[in-house]
Amino acid sequence: MRAFVITGPGRAEVQDVPPPRPGRGEVVVEVDRAGVCGTDAEIYSGAMSYLDSGQAAYPIRIGHEWCGVVAETGPGVDRAWLGRRVTGDTMLGCGNCDRCTAGRQHLCADRYEIGLRNGWPGALAERLPVPVTALHPLPEPVDPVLGALVEPGGVALRSVLGAGLSPGERLLVFGPGTIGLLVGQIAVARGVEVHLLGRYEPSLTFARSIGFAHVWTAQTLPDLRFDAVVDASNAAENPARAVEVVEPGRRVVYVGLSGEPSLIDSRVVALKDVTVVGVLSASGGLAGTIELYASGAVDPRPLVAATVGLAEAAGALAGERPAAWGAAPKIHIDPRR
């Protein structure tokens, strides 16, 4: 089968590789659509921390935002899965440790991460092996575009839930990229007043174009009460700023990662009695995201700028963007092209 393989920093090619065979408890999914994100771009550039820690090594087959159809089942898997449209969790725990048995498989020390960690191949390929326990069926209203947006949507939903807001309260989101915009869309669907803060006018203009009325820069941000802050940016200074601007006694959620350490003054956290929440993955948020998409309460399809084939994936990861794509943040890959 054809697969996109990153062979080294800034080097990738489409290769013919052996198709996967499902092991016990596994299925093989024929991939309809896969998204690429900032983490994938970091693997392509060589900046991703897993490469330094040894949790990832070239060659790597990326792709952890995906949907498709179950094409094969392995031993121990109900054949009723065959032909079902699915997406799935990126985080594949060992299933035996204390974290896994407590429902925190996404924190398992020995976990695989599809397309990212410990060599599990990703979805930028015609077929993908997945444990059946990681699968989530997709209802008819969730088309391939939405299906490949379930994983980032799950990250965003967990971030919104972590903010602990009630309808009518006010949320400030740092970073109007894919996760930040999804956080905003999900929060709006829950009756929250959303404000977005960013740096670059194209992304701010795009946010306004899809319905966000309160879009600011650091220079224009009004002096308002913010009942929670979600930092979905990669700016090293924003974690400290989030603690400074949030209402005392409320919550700050960190989901974005900067390329350098972000310093927070714990004295401010303590004196303001702020709760700090970290979000690693979509685990625990996938089913809820599918429900939001299926109901029409959240429609993130405008966030997808273009869908390209495997041969164009390297350009997308390198930041090549034809002007016709506009400023929407997400790029999808159709491995069948």
Side-chain angles (χ1 to χ4, degrees):
M1 69 173 186
R2 296 168 66 244
F4 180 79
V5 183
I6 301 176
T7 57
R11 302 193 306 274
E13 58 190 26
V14 179
Q15 297 181 359
D16 287 321
V17 303
R21 296 286 181 254
R24 174 164 292 277
E26 295 178 359
V27 304
V28 169
V29 173
E30 190 171 284
V31 180
D32 283 335
R33 197 68 51 87
V36 292
C37 71
T39 302
D40 296 315
E42 288 181 350
I43 290 176
Y44 180 70
S45 71
M48 207 276 182
S49 61
Y50 283 180
L51 295 166
D52 294 329
S53 66
Q55 296 170 77
Y58 299 116
I60 303 175
R61 286 165 46 187
I62 61 170
H64 59 279
E65 305 174 4
W66 57 271
C67 67
V69 177
V70 176
E72 296 181 57
T73 57
V77 177
D78 188 340
R79 288 180 61 81
W81 281 102
L82 284 172
R84 298 189 74 176
R85 298 179 57 249
V86 295
T87 187
D89 200 338
T90 299
M91 311 301 241
L92 312 178
C94 71
N96 300 311
C97 68
D98 290 345
R99 295 173 189 171
C100 285
T101 56
R104 298 192 299 275
Q105 93 289 339
H106 64 296
L107 300 174
C108 173
D110 297 321
R111 71 185 180 274
Y112 294 96
E113 296 179 21
I114 291 176
L116 293 171
R117 191 176 192 262
N118 287 338
W120 195 285
L124 266 65
E126 294 177 327
R127 292 194 166 200
L128 171 72
V130 189
V132 69
T133 53
L135 296 181
H136 287 260
L138 295 177
E140 189 61 33
V142 181
D143 63 18
V145 177
L146 292 174
L149 286 166
V150 168
E151 195 278 341
V155 174
L157 176 58
R158 287 193 61 213
S159 299
V160 172
L161 295 175
L165 292 168
S166 299
E169 293 189 312
R170 184 179 293 125
L171 170 67
L172 177 61
V173 181
F174 291 167
T178 299
I179 298 298
L181 293 172
L182 283 165
V183 166
Q185 288 186 318
I186 292 170
V188 168
R190 297 172 65 89
V192 172
E193 179 185 310
V194 172
H195 293 246
L196 295 171
L197 186 145
R199 289 180 172 180
Y200 306 111
E201 190 52 42
S203 62
L204 301 178
T205 299
F206 176 77
R208 296 185 187 101
S209 76
I210 61 171
F212 289 104
H214 310 295
V215 181
W216 316 103
T217 65
Q219 293 71 38
T220 63
L221 183 68
D223 185 14
L224 297 172
R225 168 191 170 123
F226 293 110
D227 301 299
V229 178
V230 173
D231 180 14
S233 76
N234 58 6
E237 68 273 14
N238 277 347
R241 183 167 193 182
V243 173
E244 292 169 0
V245 301
V246 74
E247 177 71 8
R250 303 307 298 267
R251 293 188 173 200
V252 171
V253 179
Y254 295 120
V255 62
L257 298 174
S258 70
E260 57 188 275
S262 302
L263 302 180
I264 302 171
D265 190 337
S266 62
R267 296 170 298 182
V268 178
V269 174
L271 292 171
K272 293 185 69 173
D273 204 14
V274 169
T275 298
V276 173
V277 178
V279 173
L280 170 64
S281 75
S283 301
L286 298 170
T289 301
I290 292 168
E291 291 175 6
L292 285 170
Y293 292 175
S295 70
V298 175
D299 183 2
R301 283 174 287 199
L303 275 58
V304 180
T307 300
V308 300
L310 289 175
E312 293 120 320
L317 292 166
E320 298 175 7
R321 292 181 62 96
W325 289 5
K330 179 59 67 177
I331 306 299
H332 275 176
I333 309 295
D334 182 345
R336 299 165 297 187
R337 291 190 184 181

